[in-house]
Amino acid sequence: MASDKKIRLGITQGDTNGIGYELILKTLADSVILDICTPVIYGSSKVAAYYRKMLNLEPLQLNSIDDASDIRNGYNNIVEVIKSEVKVEPGVESKEAGEAALLALRAAVADLKAGKIDAIVTAPINKNAIQTDDFNFPGHTEYLENEFASESDSKSLMILFSDKLRVALATTHIPVKDVASHISKESIVEKLTILDRSLRLDFACDGPRIAVLALNPHAGENGLLGAEEQDVIIPAINEAYDKRIYCFGPYAADGFFGTEMYKKFDAVLAMYHDQGLAPFKTIAMDSGVNFTAGLSCVRTSPDHGTAYDIVGKDVASVSSFRDAIFEACNIYRNRANYRKSHSNPLRRQYFDKSNDKETIDITKVEVDTENTL
């Protein structure tokens, strides 16, 4: 990214029958957004105009383009990814709305890979409506992991965060009955490694402390209520700690959140979706941000769904979506700063003992940024 340009932030329209456009239009109406980034919406100016009129919002100037190469720095841009008419049915689940969401997502990801934009914020999708023969992912996280797997040394990790709490998930969109079979010592160590790395790289945490939740009630009661803590989670914590990842637990989830122990840690690793996200959304629903860690790309989203029940009622809160934009920019900058501070190789001069003088051979020794503490 050129030094005279702001961060080029892609914004996918999400499900066209959901609250995505309400969030986008209301958020971009705040001129402060243009002070921190150049927004690039992937969607349809006609659909945007439909929702602006429905909600009786003030006009928003959008620079309509067919390709992200034509982005105007310092303006609100919209890449027209829908070339034909799209039927908008506010609050209704439909395959047409799902197809429109998928077109926007794929276009944004392609441009992110090509370097035309720097990061993306995704508006909510309907996970059922977006499914096609060649798109069968449970959500954005799994899709992005598949798209960027070849460019990353590790798998993705879902992190929900606010200024009060960060929660990462050992498993994501799977049935509760399958959780136990999807966790292993190796998978938990992998997630802890990604989380530790992300806290340092993306959130600028020095020596982060991570709490690990138990799977079973009362942390298994020494095997009485389940053996996963003894057989899987504790060995994983010990192995990760030996690798200088400062993780502790396992903690019973009810007491951990009930006594506000989370305030003593930089992040929490929960074993399954609702174990971590139910308390998170109770604590930080309006300001929560979803971040896909572990990949080469930067992607955030609001921590809620399409909210079909309130579409068009002008009551949707933009707080989470606005924070997703701010945090995508923060994470992008944090990564740039981290890499800059860790990129300079150490230079070492080798001393030739045989003739008591320095040799002219000067070798660069690369810093291992993956394991630097």
Side-chain angles (χ1 to χ4, degrees):
M1 185 178 69
S3 59
D4 61 338
K5 292 183 180 178
K6 295 183 177 70
I7 293 170
R8 299 163 299 180
L9 187 67
I11 301 173
T12 63
Q13 65 181 355
D15 189 290
T16 50
N17 292 341
I19 61 171
Y21 271 105
E22 179 175 349
L23 301 177
I24 293 169
L25 294 171
K26 287 182 176 180
T27 300
L28 297 188
D30 186 348
S31 61
V32 73
I33 301 298
L34 289 177
D35 291 336
I36 64 170
C37 67
T38 294
V40 186
I41 304 166
Y42 286 81
S44 165
S45 56
K46 290 183 178 179
V47 178
Y50 175 93
Y51 277 103
R52 185 192 68 77
K53 292 177 182 177
M54 170 188 277
L55 296 164
N56 196 29
L57 302 177
E58 291 295 320
L60 179 69
Q61 183 177 0
L62 296 175
N63 177 41
S64 177
I65 54 179
D66 291 322
D67 190 279
S69 300
D70 299 321
I71 292 170
R72 291 185 68 185
N73 186 43
Y75 288 81
N76 292 308
N77 300 268
I78 183 165
V79 178
E80 303 284 358
V81 299
I82 302 176
K83 305 302 181 183
S84 58
E85 294 292 327
V86 58
K87 184 178 181 181
V88 180
E89 300 176 278
V92 177
E93 177 182 331
S94 75
K95 294 304 293 183
E96 190 170 2
E99 290 168 3
L102 184 55
L103 281 173
L105 178 59
R106 282 180 165 160
V109 167
D111 285 349
L112 190 58
K113 287 182 175 181
K116 294 180 180 179
I117 55 177
D118 301 308
I120 58 173
V121 173
T122 56
I125 59 172
N126 180 296
K127 292 178 175 60
N128 181 56
I130 200 172
Q131 299 298 314
T132 65
D133 290 340
D134 58 350
F135 185 96
N136 53 6
F137 301 95
H140 285 108
T141 302
E142 295 82 2
Y143 173 70
L144 290 169
E145 178 179 278
N146 181 73
E147 288 294 308
F148 288 90
S150 62
E151 302 177 19
S152 176
D153 293 331
S154 61
K155 295 182 179 180
S156 66
L157 177 68
M158 182 188 291
I159 300 177
L160 275 288
F161 70 97
S162 70
D163 58 352
K164 299 176 181 177
L165 172 65
R166 300 184 188 98
V167 174
L169 303 180
T171 61
T172 52
H173 301 114
I174 62 173
V176 173
K177 67 182 178 61
D178 296 332
V179 171
S181 64
H182 277 71
I183 63 171
S184 64
K185 184 185 76 170
E186 293 74 21
S187 68
I188 293 175
V189 171
E190 178 183 62
K191 298 298 184 183
L192 286 169
T193 302
I194 300 171
L195 180 54
D196 178 76
R197 170 73 171 158
S198 180
L199 290 169
R200 299 169 190 272
L201 174 67
D202 302 318
F203 296 97
C205 290
D206 244 348
R209 291 166 52 87
I210 302 170
V212 181
L213 298 185
L215 175 65
N216 297 298
H218 306 291
E221 290 281 14
N222 292 318
L224 179 65
L225 302 179
E228 286 81 8
E229 285 73 23
Q230 300 295 321
D231 297 344
V232 177
I233 300 176
I234 291 174
I237 292 172
N238 291 337
E239 181 174 324
Y241 198 92
D242 288 342
K243 295 180 179 180
R244 295 196 292 177
I245 296 172
Y246 304 124
C247 50
F248 307 87
Y251 299 103
D254 56 351
F256 181 84
F257 288 108
T259 59
E260 298 186 335
M261 280 188 68
Y262 62 86
K263 293 182 178 180
K264 299 179 180 179
F265 296 91
D266 297 292
V268 180
L269 180 66
M271 291 298 106
Y272 58 94
H273 188 281
D274 284 15
Q275 182 190 49
L277 299 196
F280 176 85
K281 292 186 178 184
T282 300
I283 295 167
M285 181 68 194
D286 287 341
S287 60
V289 174
N290 183 356
F291 170 54
T292 305
L295 302 179
S296 58
C297 64
V298 174
R299 174 259 173 171
T300 64
S301 74
D303 69 347
H304 55 72
T306 54
Y308 286 150
D309 58 321
I310 60 170
V311 177
K313 296 181 180 179
D314 197 20
V315 296
S317 171
V318 301
S319 296
S320 182
F321 189 81
R322 183 186 61 222
D323 286 348
I325 288 179
F326 291 152
E327 295 300 341
C329 295
N330 287 338
I331 291 170
Y332 182 83
R333 292 192 187 96
N334 285 342
R335 286 191 176 188
N337 291 336
Y338 183 94
R339 286 168 179 152
K340 182 178 180 180
S341 64
H342 289 78
S343 64
N344 294 329
L346 300 176
R347 301 181 67 86
R348 179 177 297 167
Q349 290 183 320
Y350 289 91
F351 195 78
D352 186 348
K353 293 182 179 179
S354 63
N355 56 18
D356 249 10
K357 66 178 181 180
E358 250 180 19
T359 67
I360 60 171
D361 180 22
I362 300 176
T363 305
K364 289 184 177 180
V365 180
E366 296 290 341
V367 176
D368 181 2
T369 58
E370 291 295 326
N371 296 306
T372 301
L373 294 180

